[in-house]
Amino acid sequence: MTDIQRQYQDVRQYTEHLCEPLQLEDYVPQPVIFASPPKWHLAHTTWFFEAFVLEPNLSNYKPFHKDFSFLFNSYYNAAGDRIFRADRGNITRPGVQEVYDYRAYVDKAMESLLKNDDYKALITLGLNHEQQHQELLITDLKHTLSGNPIFPVYNEQFSIINAINESSGKVEISEGVYDIGYQGEDFHYDNEKGVHKTYLHRCKLDNYLVTNADYLEFIKDGGYQTSNLWLDEGWAWVNENNIKAPLYWHKVDGVWQNYTLQGLKVVEPKQMLAHISLYEAAAFAEWQDRRLPTEFEWEVSADQLDWGKRWEWTNSAYLPYPGFKTAEGALGEYNGKFMINQMVLRGASQATSPGHSRKTYRNFFHASSRWQVFGIRLADKH
Amino acid sequence: MTDIQRQYQDVRQYTEHLCEPLQLEDYVPQPVIFASPPKWHLAHTTWFFEAFVLEPNLSNYKPFHKDFSFLFNSYYNAAGDRIFRADRGNITRPGVQEVYDYRAYVDKAMESLLKNDDYKALITLGLNHEQQHQELLITDLKHTLSGNPIFPVYNEQFSIINAINESSGKVEISEGVYDIGYQGEDFHYDNEKGVHKTYLHRCKLDNYLVTNADYLEFIKDGGYQTSNLWLDEGWAWVNENNIKAPLYWHKVDGVWQNYTLQGLKVVEPKQMLAHISLYEAAAFAEWQDRRLPTEFEWEVSADQLDWGKRWEWTNSAYLPYPGFKTAEGALGEYNGKFMINQMVLRGASQATSPGHSRKTYRNFFHASSRWQVFGIRLADKH
Amino acid sequence: MTDIQRQYQDVRQYTEHLCEPLQLEDYVPQPVIFASPPKWHLAHTTWFFEAFVLEPNLSNYKPFHKDFSFLFNSYYNAAGDRIFRADRGNITRPGVQEVYDYRAYVDKAMESLLKNDDYKALITLGLNHEQQHQELLITDLKHTLSGNPIFPVYNEQFSIINAINESSGKVEISEGVYDIGYQGEDFHYDNEKGVHKTYLHRCKLDNYLVTNADYLEFIKDGGYQTSNLWLDEGWAWVNENNIKAPLYWHKVDGVWQNYTLQGLKVVEPKQMLAHISLYEAAAFAEWQDRRLPTEFEWEVSADQLDWGKRWEWTNSAYLPYPGFKTAEGALGEYNGKFMINQMVLRGASQATSPGHSRKTYRNFFHASSRWQVFGIRLADKH
Amino acid sequence: MTDIQRQYQDVRQYTEHLCEPLQLEDYVPQPVIFASPPKWHLAHTTWFFEAFVLEPNLSNYKPFHKDFSFLFNSYYNAAGDRIFRADRGNITRPGVQEVYDYRAYVDKAMESLLKNDDYKALITLGLNHEQQHQELLITDLKHTLSGNPIFPVYNEQFSIINAINESSGKVEISEGVYDIGYQGEDFHYDNEKGVHKTYLHRCKLDNYLVTNADYLEFIKDGGYQTSNLWLDEGWAWVNENNIKAPLYWHKVDGVWQNYTLQGLKVVEPKQMLAHISLYEAAAFAEWQDRRLPTEFEWEVSADQLDWGKRWEWTNSAYLPYPGFKTAEGALGEYNGKFMINQMVLRGASQATSPGHSRKTYRNFFHASSRWQVFGIRLADKH
């Protein structure tokens, strides 16, 4: 078995492994527009191989079902009509079993292409794409289950937030010109490309993340009620949505508990804080008279930092590097078109698939997003 | 087996019979707020017996699950906290099998009460309640499946719209004072009570309903584009929702087709029109220079009319009869509180459960509703 | 001066008289879609004479301004394109002076037609239309001024709510057949026509209206927090809009005050209640275990009732009388197309123009409306 | 007369000068939440001097009116309760004359403080604040008048878009480290502070802006219908709002015209393009296979560029410079809290007040904004 064959098998199986604890009903709903059902993730990642690998390259390939391209495309405008995103949870047919059959059918068809080195780069992109959806699958699922008033358990043994800091102190970067961007031969996204120089001023980043205990102090001190700690949009967001704590937190009989994939649990003070928006991260930083690092400070410090349990909000907007170029065709829609009104996160979380990050990796979300495993690392003000 | 025992068995089994063609995924979604998932209908009708029959009357009754009262109450404010209605489709646990177990558990517990004549009236109310939900179950399901771009088949042999007129001519009522309201000893709702006199002027009602062929003429004649045929709210509704045909109709390659429980089918000209709003019914009547009958004209004519395939829009608002009284307690919420901004429909449809209507039955919906099997009977203008 | 000449002069002057206390800025805004600016009322009532009286009947008539028909039409679809209703408050040109010039220009042009008896009926309709807008002008203006946090005074000497009951006891109607609808030769609307018989059961109506003192008891007793007093839609309305009192009421330092055209004033206990919705009227009636009368009971009792200070909610939906016919052309849009989802009010209010009501007059509004001078008369339950 | 006295007089008079062509009605409405009425701008800029200069520093100062602080505060949370922003257009009292009286009252009170050098910095901030509102006053007004179907003329002699390019060619910057940020002693905002180094790669910027003729080519080539030219949010924005041209453009009888302060005029091909969003700017750049410059490239090139007629969209997000600090108290809310989800514009427009810009000036708006005089300068791709 070659490397790519093994990787293909591992990644594809891992998606299904994540679904093992599910009841069949769990595969279906989409309570919010941004979180897709497991059934859709299983099918969409498979459609990616069908549409971008098999159909263009396997001459006798016959699609599994003529309507699946329509049903399971996500946002690739160039690849045909899409089903309206908010309807993903209302499409009951094809059923779950048929989607698993679709996966098996595509996996079988992939076998011959997996033997051919010409497709290795394209297949690797497909596998990285699937790994991204693995993280979404588990975080989307957490969001869906969290809305059930009986707080269902996904898996008694599994959590995506149970990490504590194992380092302390600060990491310092001296002033000067640094190289930014991916340098190497392995897989990486187009948005990491364009190695370029950037000038950094001296800075100090914590070698640990904000904990629940830290954040409980912020709440206790009236952080959510103090307008001048917040960005203007953040303050509007807090008030319109009546936000009083991180996502999934509930005060029950005076005690803060949080919904986890193991059910409702008491908030653990030593745990790294999770499920907060950039607005909350920025307000917390302001409360401590500190700041969020930029993505460039983070990348330059990365080799000295202890990271990998949380995606960490930076105060950098998601914008192209000098020399950024989008790929031709539908795959060109992958990253560039999202470069507006999103903020960069660096690191990796406990929900990130094994091997699916690196120090140059640029994750990005809207400032109000909370359902991913987002945390806070602080830097000293200049 | 007594009558009530047999009725109980028949009605309860019929609900499950309607679900036989379903895939498990079909039990889950709620794409629109007004249409509940099959799983919810199965559980809610069972909860009704648990909450209103078993708990107050069976001393040693132990509820099946402590959270079900919360999850499966619908609108009975007096019976405790309700889950927000729009979330019914996102609650994956309890799963479908657990809901069937719930049904069996309650049916078992009901056995002793079914032997006691004291509960007959209450149980009969529960069965009529379940029959109402049977009609909703099948019409809600049709609505959910209709949103799937591959137009799934529920059952190749089953339709709720395949009726044609078997009568012709008109029925005439002479001017005078008539009695209105239920007179008898059998089951009926509180909103039919209050037998009272009403004065009717001479009127003539068609002994047949409007057909698809009739309505196609209206469409062809520009009915949906002619403002002065429409009620003001109806005209706004047409324009805001870009309405161009009855619900479920699609023009495919120049041919009108409609989604049915047998899949997508060509619109059958001789069929009775179905799935139209009161706004459309009123505009169609105006286009023919005729009118919708009042509910009183309908009731007085009923014995001479051929009816039972469509719920028929009347031009009567749903309001209390003189002497109307609500029942005490939670059951009192059944009908009276909806007596505003709804219009009365008379008759029964092909989706109505066997035996679940009578000439005094007052069905009621908002003027914009279309997902029930609503049709049109016209009367001459005075 | 003939009667019609005098009426024309009186009505037209009364509109301008109502505007005397205004600052020029008050003529402009439209804070809510249902309440139009004074400038618009002044122009629209004038446009009515221009479009429906002058243009069809005065051969050499030249419209004042080519765009005014577009700007000041309201809802007469047949009379040409309308400006979107929500924009009325944002149209600063023509200015107020130009609108007064428009009035003078049209009044001048009307002089010759006022001498011709052929136009008397049409002109009388135009004057009644203008009287309706006089009531709206003052109630719309009250709504606009009420949103100003400094609570401006319109006129220290003028109020539309300062009435107290001058009668007591009840009026009883015996069971039987009664005539309903306008019988006579004077002006009346199409919706009052169609004299017809109706059957009434015995009923008793109060000869006085609910007072602020009565309603304060309802508030104190938790009326707004007791779900089972309310219609289902009413309960949703209360909760979505956080309703806790009649419109314009503010609790200031523990004391109920209300915004009036004389500024902010303490709520007067003996005053007839005003500015409540049908939802509130129905809940209040339920709280007293009484009910709202029907419009037919009201009309039959009218000669014995003390009425004229409030429009009084009835529990009758606004629907056509038997034999109702709409007029031809644009004027036919006057009433019939609103006959859905509105409730009938009978009587007249302190804001109603002198002479602009009668016992057969059918006013109608949505159940949630409160900005008109709406009050409550109760009837005994049957 | 000292410099500051003359500046105070000039700036304050210029605001009133801008209002000279107005009818009184024009001062009132606020059709969209982002555009305030002239009356409000006149009062708010005055309130700034009252609240931040007079009240803290003039011991015997008596505010003009106790409610004005409430009515005319904008977004300074620390300075007390604000009137809800969307209501500014509905507040008819105080009227326009009273607002002019307020201005005169405050100007009179300022006289003594203008003689004292201690307040020079604070007063200069107030004047720059007023200049910002001058640009908003005229662009807000244009937006309000543009919604009137009769397209009113503000001033036959005045336009904010009638500029053509007077330079050509490109400006090139060589790779290296550059200083960014304001260096000097004159007035500047806190967001320009924090002089710091940045590393720029070699780049070439056009020495001219995109013209209407250029943009007409983009429209003709189907730019608004070509999804892959657009940012994802931009594509959604185009489709949700049915955007087909820059703001204020109307196709009349096949000819593109645009609303200007001189009324409706044919689009002038040689004019610099105006009133486009960042989404449109980015799509246009992509269509030409070019890009928008960063704000740093712009600032470093500024001395060689011909600029000053348009605010120019850059592809830089509005974020703090290293070492950025907010001022203490309410004035600290001036800039920092808006540093999220906004893009930087550099330059100045024809609507910018004389002397109110410099090469380090950072203007910022949401990517969808169009009502300011925004244009496009392109750079070569790297």
Side-chain angles (χ1 to χ4, degrees), chain D residues 205-222:
Chain D
L205 276 64
D206 291 348
N207 202 11
Y208 51 90
L209 301 193
V210 170
T211 64
N212 287 336
D214 299 332
Y215 203 77
L216 283 160
E217 283 302 306
F218 170 75
I219 294 176
K220 213 168 139 187
D221 196 40

Side-chain angles (χ1 to χ4, degrees), chain A residues 85-103:
Chain A
R85 194 173 179 180
D87 279 342
R88 286 177 189 165
N90 301 322
I91 302 302
T92 62
R93 323 260 182 114
V96 173
Q97 186 51 53
E98 201 171 357
V99 166
Y100 276 109
D101 294 346
Y102 178 37
R103 291 182 69 87

